[in-house]
Amino acid sequence: MPKIDVQEQLFFELLGKKMSLDELEALLPIAKAELDEKPDMSQKPEERTIKIELNDTNRPDLWSTAGIARQLKTYLSGTMTGYPFFSAEGNLQKARYTITVDASVKEVRPYLTAFVISGKPISDAMLRDAIQTQEKLCWNFGRKRKSVSMGLYRISLISWPVTYHAVEPLKASFAPLGYEKIMNLAEILEEHPKGKEYGHILKGNKLYPLLSDSKGRILSFPPIINSNDIGAVQVGDTDLLVEFTGTDILSVALSASIVACDFADVGYTIEPVEVRYAFDTPLGRNQVYPFYFQLPTTVDIARASALLGKSISTEKAREALARMGVESEIHGQFVKAWPPVYRNDFLHQVDLIEDIMIGIGLEQFEPEKPQDFTIGRLTPIEEFSRLAKNIMVGLGFQEMIYNYLGSRRDFIEKMGLSDEGVIRIANPMTENYEYVRPSILPSLLQSESVSAKAVYPHKIFEIGKVAFIDHSFNTHTSTRQRLAFLTAHGTADFNEAANTVSVLAYYLGIPYEVQPSDDVRFIPGRQAQLMLNGKPAGIFGEVHPQVLENWDITMPCVAGEFDLEFIMQERQ
Amino acid sequence: MINFATEILIEVTEKIFKIKEELGKAQPENIQQLEEFRIYFLGKKGVIQELFTDFKSVEPDKRKEVGMLLNELKKSAENKFEELKKALTAETHTSQLLDLTRPVDLINLGSRHPLSIVRNEIIRIFQRVGFIVNEGPEIEDDWHNFTALNFPPEHPARDMQDTFFIEKSEEKGDIALRTHTSSVQVRIMESNKPPIRSIFPGRVFRNEAISARAHCIFHQVEGLYIDKNVSFADLKQILLYFAKEVFGANTKIRLRPSYFPFTEPSIEVHIKHPVLGWFELGGAGIFRPEVTEPLGVRVPVLAWGIGIDRMALMALGLNDLRELFSYDIENVRLRRTMMRGNHA
């Protein structure tokens, strides 16, 4: 979920009205946004920022000061802003600038879109916002620059046309942003911080993408870094080229549309750029960007009424959509809607139904009592586990609930077991949470090890899950519901454990037998296997002194662990 | 003719009867009088001991008969003394010596874990209005945890930084510790026919740093309500019913637009806690047809997920999530859960 810094002064200018932060907070939900942090009032008004968190990963148009202001303004006024500089199918703008895309990039990073901003020098607020857009858009929507990256350049230094092509890493050199030193592309990936951060995107390619002008000067090495001259945009620069490259043309085109609208809202002139591909793209070979590629979606208002549980007229639906910035036409019980140029999140009519819902206001929908009848029920294992819990509690045991993730040291080494069949996390954050527990006993022993000060006797149990590697399941694992208990006090012995087991078995209604066992976690000769119908259901006995020592426990402990699912099955 | 031996016999017998009568009448009322009673009847120089001295003069052939009487007398004196002693000392304890404010001994009782209590209470609330409880695996395949729920292959939630994947000996697609109980929703829809009203309480895992406000493990109760004519209004009703059952009849809820890849519309549910104010209870929405139709479900599917850890903390008056998984026995067994309904 992206969090953005909204330039306070710019934001209220764009919104066209001043409101309190409380009013803003109440309005933000319509953009699926939340006020994350209020501005620092000790700062100058033009430096203050409001932190806002955006929840919809399909609405990158909201991730900038202008974007969020645009949505709120449209919602309040019900009128939409027009963006006449967009090209559309059959209606292309005349472009002053051209970028050619060479066939060599097709296998590396095939798509490019661009436009030019002019009309006034770039302000500090707008530059900061553009850099933020670059980060948020390319990180969240552009999958960390993999599918979309963005660059800004000073037009005054460019000789047109610009070419997007791919070259061998050692065949091109330039000074990357922030560096005076000229490096080749391979050196940039090794030495420049951005090269180290994003170099993996190009891994495995023989050729690397490059953007250069007609005189061969390099603008940038997408998606890694701009050049230190043409690509070093500063406050006060006028006429900038904004370019996007990536692997998914719709994302690359939408990103250009969003950023163009942001600059247009702030009063810049947007000049189209013609992009000439040497190969076919889903949006054509030669195209003028920003380009409106989205298709209309039709929503059945009878369906919308049924799904929302409220009778909605087509006119009301149209008005609600207008508040969300969506233009539409009524056709009988249907409404045909065109996504705004900066949005591409209408995949199905339910997406429009949601916008209708938000446009009308969630508080307008009255709750409805259910008409039908169903019978509530627990799962058999839930019922059986509750029965077992009640017996254990009756025996004076305290129920515990533990983390299922733990360390190799706790789950394996301290128990004297091998790691065979134990599930290891492939990407643990720390070694403290590296394994999924194969048994509840380590958790109980850990409790005892930290509770020496608690009044004795200690009687604790947990009913919970354990899991193992098991390739016969498609999840490669099997998970079982188990019951384990531990009793600790000065004279805890096998007989006490046997008594606990006997009472538990009596009230669970299971006739059982015991048979000698040789589990390393328990003292030899003072441990037994619980047998149901001749099959093992678990183990109990006196915990081995070596195990106790591993856990730094000085009090004698008896413990047991049983497979509750197996017991339930055998009982039936 | 009465000889000396006969006189002794009569005298001893008479004395026995006289003392027996005295014994019957004696009624000491306190410890001092009881001591006087003991000295008089049972003391070394007491009347019964005196009789034993006289007894030596009784003729051997009469000794058996007299001896029996004498022993009987001594026995009844001793019994009466013991009874009186018991009665009088007990009376003294209750009426005089007990300190009512003495520190009491700790009695350890077995009890349910607070999370277990909160979980059961939430289950009970839904069970009462016809929801069945289901379960699903905590270790899930990619299909149920992500793909079927419309998470595209490169969605941030699939990132290694957010999800625990398990290490396998053979490569057969990603297996992860489920990141939400929504995976169970897919399983329920795969294997049941509407109408379905179901909840699934369960544990979920996120690869997050552990702090007071975030944990790598948490508990959710996910719900499904699938039927021909259900709508957003029904969803609102269920969430409102739940909120009122947990926090009282005057509880208010607030719905906010939200985003999940598998529901549209999507909402966030906020509840106004009587003391703590607004807090986020969980997410909800109506499943996307693109998700439900491949599972054979062609009617609206209402769904929600409620986080229960924060509710458990509230019920305990705590605010650190790590406390929920405390290993400290004393800490856990001394907790009380203030929850309506309670220990179900």
Short mmCIF file of all heavy atoms in Angstrom, two decimals, chain B residues 222-268:
data_model
loop_
_atom_site.label_atom_id
_atom_site.label_comp_id
_atom_site.label_asym_id
_atom_site.label_seq_id
_atom_site.Cartn_x
_atom_site.Cartn_y
_atom_site.Cartn_z
N GLU B 222 -12.78 -15.78 9.13
CA GLU B 222 -13.24 -15.41 7.81
C GLU B 222 -14.65 -15.95 7.63
O GLU B 222 -14.96 -17.03 8.12
CB GLU B 222 -12.29 -16.03 6.78
CG GLU B 222 -12.34 -15.39 5.46
CD GLU B 222 -11.18 -14.43 5.22
OE1 GLU B 222 -10.35 -14.23 6.12
OE2 GLU B 222 -11.13 -13.90 4.11
N GLY B 223 -15.49 -15.23 6.92
CA GLY B 223 -16.86 -15.68 6.73
C GLY B 223 -17.28 -15.65 5.27
O GLY B 223 -16.74 -14.89 4.47
N LEU B 224 -18.24 -16.50 4.96
CA LEU B 224 -18.82 -16.56 3.62
C LEU B 224 -20.32 -16.64 3.75
O LEU B 224 -20.83 -17.37 4.59
CB LEU B 224 -18.39 -17.85 2.91
CG LEU B 224 -17.17 -17.91 2.02
CD1 LEU B 224 -17.15 -19.27 1.35
CD2 LEU B 224 -17.15 -16.81 1.01
N TYR B 225 -21.03 -15.92 2.91
CA TYR B 225 -22.49 -16.00 2.88
C TYR B 225 -22.86 -15.99 1.40
O TYR B 225 -22.69 -14.98 0.72
CB TYR B 225 -23.07 -14.81 3.64
CG TYR B 225 -24.58 -14.77 3.74
CD1 TYR B 225 -25.37 -15.86 3.35
CD2 TYR B 225 -25.22 -13.65 4.25
CE1 TYR B 225 -26.75 -15.81 3.46
CE2 TYR B 225 -26.61 -13.59 4.36
CZ TYR B 225 -27.36 -14.68 3.96
OH TYR B 225 -28.72 -14.61 4.06
N ILE B 226 -23.27 -17.14 0.92
CA ILE B 226 -23.52 -17.30 -0.52
C ILE B 226 -24.97 -17.72 -0.71
O ILE B 226 -25.41 -18.72 -0.15
CB ILE B 226 -22.61 -18.41 -1.11
CG1 ILE B 226 -21.15 -18.17 -0.71
CG2 ILE B 226 -22.76 -18.47 -2.63
CD1 ILE B 226 -20.20 -19.21 -1.23
N ASP B 227 -25.70 -16.94 -1.48
CA ASP B 227 -27.08 -17.33 -1.78
C ASP B 227 -27.56 -16.53 -2.99
O ASP B 227 -26.93 -15.54 -3.37
CB ASP B 227 -27.98 -17.08 -0.56
CG ASP B 227 -29.17 -18.04 -0.55
OD1 ASP B 227 -29.41 -18.71 -1.57
OD2 ASP B 227 -29.84 -18.12 0.49
N LYS B 228 -28.68 -16.97 -3.54
CA LYS B 228 -29.20 -16.36 -4.77
C LYS B 228 -29.32 -14.85 -4.68
O LYS B 228 -28.83 -14.13 -5.53
CB LYS B 228 -30.58 -16.95 -5.11
CG LYS B 228 -30.51 -18.26 -5.88
CD LYS B 228 -31.81 -18.56 -6.59
CE LYS B 228 -32.97 -18.83 -5.64
NZ LYS B 228 -32.84 -20.10 -4.89
N ASN B 229 -30.01 -14.36 -3.62
CA ASN B 229 -30.35 -12.94 -3.63
C ASN B 229 -29.62 -12.10 -2.60
O ASN B 229 -30.09 -11.04 -2.22
CB ASN B 229 -31.86 -12.79 -3.44
CG ASN B 229 -32.62 -13.44 -4.58
OD1 ASN B 229 -32.26 -13.26 -5.74
ND2 ASN B 229 -33.63 -14.21 -4.25
N VAL B 230 -28.46 -12.55 -2.15
CA VAL B 230 -27.78 -11.75 -1.14
C VAL B 230 -27.10 -10.54 -1.78
O VAL B 230 -26.76 -10.55 -2.95
CB VAL B 230 -26.76 -12.57 -0.32
CG1 VAL B 230 -27.47 -13.61 0.52
CG2 VAL B 230 -25.71 -13.20 -1.21
N SER B 231 -26.96 -9.48 -0.97
CA SER B 231 -26.44 -8.23 -1.50
C SER B 231 -25.56 -7.53 -0.47
O SER B 231 -25.40 -8.00 0.67
CB SER B 231 -27.60 -7.30 -1.84
OG SER B 231 -28.19 -6.84 -0.64
N PHE B 232 -25.04 -6.40 -0.89
CA PHE B 232 -24.25 -5.55 -0.01
C PHE B 232 -25.02 -5.21 1.27
O PHE B 232 -24.44 -5.11 2.35
CB PHE B 232 -23.88 -4.28 -0.78
CG PHE B 232 -23.08 -3.30 0.01
CD1 PHE B 232 -21.81 -3.62 0.45
CD2 PHE B 232 -23.61 -2.06 0.32
CE1 PHE B 232 -21.08 -2.71 1.19
CE2 PHE B 232 -22.88 -1.15 1.07
CZ PHE B 232 -21.61 -1.47 1.50
N ALA B 233 -26.36 -5.06 1.17
CA ALA B 233 -27.18 -4.74 2.34
C ALA B 233 -27.14 -5.87 3.36
O ALA B 233 -27.14 -5.65 4.57
CB ALA B 233 -28.61 -4.45 1.91
N ASP B 234 -27.09 -7.13 2.86
CA ASP B 234 -26.98 -8.27 3.78
C ASP B 234 -25.62 -8.29 4.47
O ASP B 234 -25.50 -8.63 5.64
CB ASP B 234 -27.17 -9.59 3.01
CG ASP B 234 -28.55 -9.72 2.40
OD1 ASP B 234 -29.50 -9.88 3.19
OD2 ASP B 234 -28.68 -9.62 1.17
N LEU B 235 -24.60 -7.95 3.70
CA LEU B 235 -23.25 -7.91 4.26
C LEU B 235 -23.18 -6.89 5.39
O LEU B 235 -22.64 -7.15 6.47
CB LEU B 235 -22.26 -7.55 3.14
CG LEU B 235 -20.78 -7.51 3.50
CD1 LEU B 235 -20.30 -8.85 4.04
CD2 LEU B 235 -19.95 -7.11 2.29
N LYS B 236 -23.79 -5.75 5.14
CA LYS B 236 -23.81 -4.69 6.15
C LYS B 236 -24.54 -5.18 7.41
O LYS B 236 -24.10 -4.94 8.53
CB LYS B 236 -24.51 -3.45 5.57
CG LYS B 236 -24.15 -2.17 6.25
CD LYS B 236 -24.60 -0.96 5.45
CE LYS B 236 -24.33 0.32 6.20
NZ LYS B 236 -24.73 1.51 5.46
N GLN B 237 -25.63 -5.91 7.20
CA GLN B 237 -26.41 -6.43 8.32
C GLN B 237 -25.59 -7.40 9.18
O GLN B 237 -25.58 -7.32 10.40
CB GLN B 237 -27.67 -7.13 7.78
CG GLN B 237 -28.45 -7.93 8.82
CD GLN B 237 -28.96 -7.07 9.95
OE1 GLN B 237 -29.34 -5.92 9.74
NE2 GLN B 237 -28.95 -7.61 11.16
N ILE B 238 -24.88 -8.31 8.53
CA ILE B 238 -24.10 -9.30 9.27
C ILE B 238 -23.00 -8.62 10.09
O ILE B 238 -22.80 -8.93 11.26
CB ILE B 238 -23.46 -10.32 8.30
CG1 ILE B 238 -24.53 -11.25 7.78
CG2 ILE B 238 -22.37 -11.12 8.98
CD1 ILE B 238 -24.08 -12.07 6.62
N LEU B 239 -22.33 -7.66 9.47
CA LEU B 239 -21.24 -6.98 10.16
C LEU B 239 -21.78 -6.17 11.34
O LEU B 239 -21.18 -6.13 12.41
CB LEU B 239 -20.48 -6.09 9.18
CG LEU B 239 -19.77 -6.87 8.06
CD1 LEU B 239 -19.31 -5.94 6.96
CD2 LEU B 239 -18.60 -7.69 8.61
N LEU B 240 -22.95 -5.57 11.14
CA LEU B 240 -23.57 -4.79 12.21
C LEU B 240 -24.02 -5.71 13.35
O LEU B 240 -23.81 -5.42 14.53
CB LEU B 240 -24.77 -4.02 11.64
CG LEU B 240 -25.45 -3.05 12.60
CD1 LEU B 240 -24.50 -1.95 13.04
CD2 LEU B 240 -26.68 -2.42 11.94
N TYR B 241 -24.63 -6.84 12.98
CA TYR B 241 -25.06 -7.83 13.99
C TYR B 241 -23.86 -8.27 14.83
O TYR B 241 -23.89 -8.29 16.06
CB TYR B 241 -25.69 -9.05 13.28
CG TYR B 241 -25.67 -10.33 14.11
CD1 TYR B 241 -26.57 -10.49 15.16
CD2 TYR B 241 -24.76 -11.34 13.85
CE1 TYR B 241 -26.56 -11.66 15.93
CE2 TYR B 241 -24.73 -12.50 14.61
CZ TYR B 241 -25.62 -12.65 15.65
OH TYR B 241 -25.58 -13.79 16.42
N PHE B 242 -22.77 -8.59 14.14
CA PHE B 242 -21.58 -9.06 14.84
C PHE B 242 -21.04 -8.00 15.80
O PHE B 242 -20.77 -8.27 16.97
CB PHE B 242 -20.51 -9.46 13.82
CG PHE B 242 -19.22 -9.84 14.46
CD1 PHE B 242 -19.08 -11.08 15.07
CD2 PHE B 242 -18.15 -8.96 14.50
CE1 PHE B 242 -17.90 -11.44 15.68
CE2 PHE B 242 -16.96 -9.31 15.12
CZ PHE B 242 -16.84 -10.55 15.71
N ALA B 243 -20.96 -6.77 15.29
CA ALA B 243 -20.43 -5.68 16.11
C ALA B 243 -21.27 -5.47 17.37
O ALA B 243 -20.75 -5.30 18.47
CB ALA B 243 -20.39 -4.39 15.29
N LYS B 244 -22.59 -5.55 17.20
CA LYS B 244 -23.47 -5.34 18.36
C LYS B 244 -23.37 -6.48 19.36
O LYS B 244 -23.47 -6.27 20.56
CB LYS B 244 -24.92 -5.17 17.89
CG LYS B 244 -25.13 -3.83 17.20
CD LYS B 244 -26.58 -3.61 16.86
CE LYS B 244 -26.76 -2.16 16.38
NZ LYS B 244 -28.17 -1.84 16.15
N GLU B 245 -23.21 -7.70 18.85
CA GLU B 245 -23.09 -8.85 19.75
C GLU B 245 -21.80 -8.75 20.57
O GLU B 245 -21.77 -9.13 21.72
CB GLU B 245 -23.09 -10.15 18.95
CG GLU B 245 -24.45 -10.55 18.42
CD GLU B 245 -25.47 -10.74 19.53
OE1 GLU B 245 -25.21 -11.54 20.45
OE2 GLU B 245 -26.52 -10.08 19.48
N VAL B 246 -20.75 -8.25 19.94
CA VAL B 246 -19.47 -8.19 20.66
C VAL B 246 -19.41 -6.98 21.57
O VAL B 246 -19.00 -7.08 22.73
CB VAL B 246 -18.27 -8.17 19.67
CG1 VAL B 246 -16.97 -8.02 20.43
CG2 VAL B 246 -18.24 -9.42 18.83
N PHE B 247 -19.82 -5.83 21.06
CA PHE B 247 -19.56 -4.60 21.82
C PHE B 247 -20.82 -3.95 22.39
O PHE B 247 -20.74 -2.86 22.94
CB PHE B 247 -18.80 -3.61 20.95
CG PHE B 247 -17.45 -4.11 20.52
CD1 PHE B 247 -17.21 -4.50 19.22
CD2 PHE B 247 -16.42 -4.23 21.45
CE1 PHE B 247 -15.96 -4.97 18.83
CE2 PHE B 247 -15.18 -4.72 21.08
CZ PHE B 247 -14.96 -5.08 19.77
N GLY B 248 -21.98 -4.58 22.23
CA GLY B 248 -23.18 -4.02 22.83
C GLY B 248 -24.12 -3.40 21.81
O GLY B 248 -23.72 -3.02 20.71
N ALA B 249 -25.39 -3.28 22.23
CA ALA B 249 -26.47 -2.92 21.32
C ALA B 249 -26.31 -1.53 20.70
O ALA B 249 -26.84 -1.26 19.63
CB ALA B 249 -27.80 -3.01 22.03
N ASN B 250 -25.57 -0.65 21.36
CA ASN B 250 -25.46 0.71 20.81
C ASN B 250 -24.25 0.90 19.89
O ASN B 250 -23.96 2.01 19.47
CB ASN B 250 -25.37 1.72 21.96
CG ASN B 250 -26.64 1.69 22.79
OD1 ASN B 250 -27.73 1.54 22.23
ND2 ASN B 250 -26.50 1.80 24.09
N THR B 251 -23.56 -0.20 19.63
CA THR B 251 -22.35 -0.10 18.81
C THR B 251 -22.67 0.39 17.40
O THR B 251 -23.65 -0.02 16.80
CB THR B 251 -21.68 -1.48 18.72
OG1 THR B 251 -21.48 -1.94 20.05
CG2 THR B 251 -20.35 -1.41 18.00
N LYS B 252 -21.80 1.25 16.90
CA LYS B 252 -21.96 1.73 15.52
C LYS B 252 -20.86 1.14 14.66
O LYS B 252 -19.75 0.91 15.13
CB LYS B 252 -21.84 3.25 15.49
CG LYS B 252 -23.04 3.95 16.09
CD LYS B 252 -22.98 5.44 15.77
CE LYS B 252 -24.24 6.15 16.16
NZ LYS B 252 -24.52 6.08 17.61
N ILE B 253 -21.17 0.91 13.39
CA ILE B 253 -20.11 0.53 12.46
C ILE B 253 -20.04 1.56 11.34
O ILE B 253 -20.99 2.31 11.09
CB ILE B 253 -20.30 -0.89 11.84
CG1 ILE B 253 -21.56 -0.96 10.98
CG2 ILE B 253 -20.30 -1.95 12.91
CD1 ILE B 253 -21.60 -2.22 10.11
N ARG B 254 -18.89 1.58 10.70
CA ARG B 254 -18.64 2.51 9.61
C ARG B 254 -17.96 1.71 8.50
O ARG B 254 -17.04 0.96 8.78
CB ARG B 254 -17.70 3.58 10.15
CG ARG B 254 -17.42 4.73 9.26
CD ARG B 254 -16.74 5.82 10.07
NE ARG B 254 -15.34 5.48 10.33
CZ ARG B 254 -14.50 6.25 11.01
NH1 ARG B 254 -14.93 7.37 11.56
NH2 ARG B 254 -13.25 5.91 11.18
N LEU B 255 -18.46 1.83 7.30
CA LEU B 255 -17.84 1.11 6.19
C LEU B 255 -17.09 2.09 5.32
O LEU B 255 -17.55 3.20 5.07
CB LEU B 255 -18.91 0.39 5.37
CG LEU B 255 -19.83 -0.55 6.15
CD1 LEU B 255 -20.82 -1.22 5.21
CD2 LEU B 255 -19.04 -1.60 6.90
N ARG B 256 -15.92 1.65 4.86
CA ARG B 256 -15.09 2.50 4.02
C ARG B 256 -14.73 1.73 2.75
O ARG B 256 -14.44 0.53 2.85
CB ARG B 256 -13.78 2.84 4.76
CG ARG B 256 -13.99 3.76 5.95
CD ARG B 256 -14.32 5.12 5.43
NE ARG B 256 -14.61 6.12 6.43
CZ ARG B 256 -13.72 6.82 7.11
NH1 ARG B 256 -12.44 6.54 7.01
NH2 ARG B 256 -14.09 7.77 7.91
N PRO B 257 -14.72 2.42 1.60
CA PRO B 257 -14.29 1.71 0.39
C PRO B 257 -12.86 1.19 0.58
O PRO B 257 -12.04 1.85 1.22
CB PRO B 257 -14.31 2.80 -0.69
CG PRO B 257 -15.21 3.86 -0.15
CD PRO B 257 -15.06 3.82 1.33
N SER B 258 -12.60 0.00 0.04
CA SER B 258 -11.26 -0.54 0.17
C SER B 258 -10.92 -1.35 -1.06
O SER B 258 -11.67 -1.34 -2.03
CB SER B 258 -11.15 -1.39 1.44
OG SER B 258 -9.80 -1.73 1.66
N TYR B 259 -9.80 -2.05 -1.00
CA TYR B 259 -9.37 -2.80 -2.18
C TYR B 259 -8.80 -4.15 -1.79
O TYR B 259 -7.93 -4.24 -0.93
CB TYR B 259 -8.30 -2.01 -2.94
CG TYR B 259 -7.74 -2.80 -4.10
CD1 TYR B 259 -8.47 -2.92 -5.28
CD2 TYR B 259 -6.53 -3.48 -3.98
CE1 TYR B 259 -7.98 -3.68 -6.33
CE2 TYR B 259 -6.04 -4.24 -5.03
CZ TYR B 259 -6.78 -4.34 -6.20
OH TYR B 259 -6.31 -5.10 -7.22
N PHE B 260 -9.34 -5.21 -2.38
CA PHE B 260 -8.75 -6.54 -2.34
C PHE B 260 -8.84 -7.09 -3.76
O PHE B 260 -9.84 -6.84 -4.44
CB PHE B 260 -9.49 -7.46 -1.37
CG PHE B 260 -9.63 -6.89 0.02
CD1 PHE B 260 -10.84 -6.36 0.44
CD2 PHE B 260 -8.55 -6.86 0.87
CE1 PHE B 260 -10.96 -5.80 1.71
CE2 PHE B 260 -8.66 -6.30 2.13
CZ PHE B 260 -9.87 -5.77 2.55
N PRO B 261 -7.84 -7.84 -4.19
CA PRO B 261 -7.88 -8.31 -5.58
C PRO B 261 -9.08 -9.21 -5.89
O PRO B 261 -9.50 -9.30 -7.02
CB PRO B 261 -6.57 -9.09 -5.73
CG PRO B 261 -5.70 -8.65 -4.61
CD PRO B 261 -6.61 -8.23 -3.51
N PHE B 262 -9.63 -9.86 -4.86
CA PHE B 262 -10.67 -10.87 -5.12
C PHE B 262 -12.08 -10.41 -4.82
O PHE B 262 -13.03 -11.17 -5.01
CB PHE B 262 -10.34 -12.17 -4.37
CG PHE B 262 -9.99 -11.96 -2.92
CD1 PHE B 262 -10.93 -12.15 -1.93
CD2 PHE B 262 -8.71 -11.58 -2.56
CE1 PHE B 262 -10.60 -11.96 -0.59
CE2 PHE B 262 -8.37 -11.39 -1.22
CZ PHE B 262 -9.32 -11.57 -0.24
N THR B 263 -12.26 -9.20 -4.31
CA THR B 263 -13.62 -8.71 -4.07
C THR B 263 -13.83 -7.35 -4.72
O THR B 263 -12.92 -6.55 -4.83
CB THR B 263 -13.92 -8.56 -2.55
OG1 THR B 263 -12.89 -7.77 -1.97
CG2 THR B 263 -14.01 -9.90 -1.86
N GLU B 264 -15.05 -7.14 -5.16
CA GLU B 264 -15.43 -5.86 -5.77
C GLU B 264 -16.96 -5.79 -5.71
O GLU B 264 -17.61 -6.63 -6.33
CB GLU B 264 -14.93 -5.80 -7.23
CG GLU B 264 -15.09 -4.46 -7.90
CD GLU B 264 -13.92 -3.50 -7.60
OE1 GLU B 264 -12.89 -3.97 -7.08
OE2 GLU B 264 -14.07 -2.32 -7.87
N PRO B 265 -17.57 -4.91 -4.98
CA PRO B 265 -16.94 -3.90 -4.15
C PRO B 265 -16.17 -4.51 -2.96
O PRO B 265 -16.48 -5.60 -2.51
CB PRO B 265 -18.12 -3.09 -3.61
CG PRO B 265 -19.34 -3.56 -4.31
CD PRO B 265 -19.04 -4.89 -4.88
N SER B 266 -15.21 -3.73 -2.48
CA SER B 266 -14.45 -4.10 -1.28
C SER B 266 -14.63 -3.00 -0.24
O SER B 266 -14.67 -1.83 -0.59
CB SER B 266 -12.96 -4.19 -1.61
OG SER B 266 -12.71 -5.12 -2.64
N ILE B 267 -14.73 -3.42 1.00
CA ILE B 267 -14.87 -2.41 2.06
C ILE B 267 -14.01 -2.77 3.27
O ILE B 267 -13.59 -3.90 3.43
CB ILE B 267 -16.34 -2.26 2.54
CG1 ILE B 267 -16.93 -3.64 2.89
CG2 ILE B 267 -17.19 -1.56 1.51
CD1 ILE B 267 -18.28 -3.57 3.55
N GLU B 268 -13.77 -1.77 4.06
CA GLU B 268 -13.12 -1.92 5.35
C GLU B 268 -14.20 -1.69 6.38
O GLU B 268 -15.05 -0.84 6.19
CB GLU B 268 -12.12 -0.78 5.52
CG GLU B 268 -10.70 -1.18 5.67
CD GLU B 268 -9.83 0.07 5.62
OE1 GLU B 268 -10.16 1.08 6.27
OE2 GLU B 268 -8.84 0.00 4.89
#
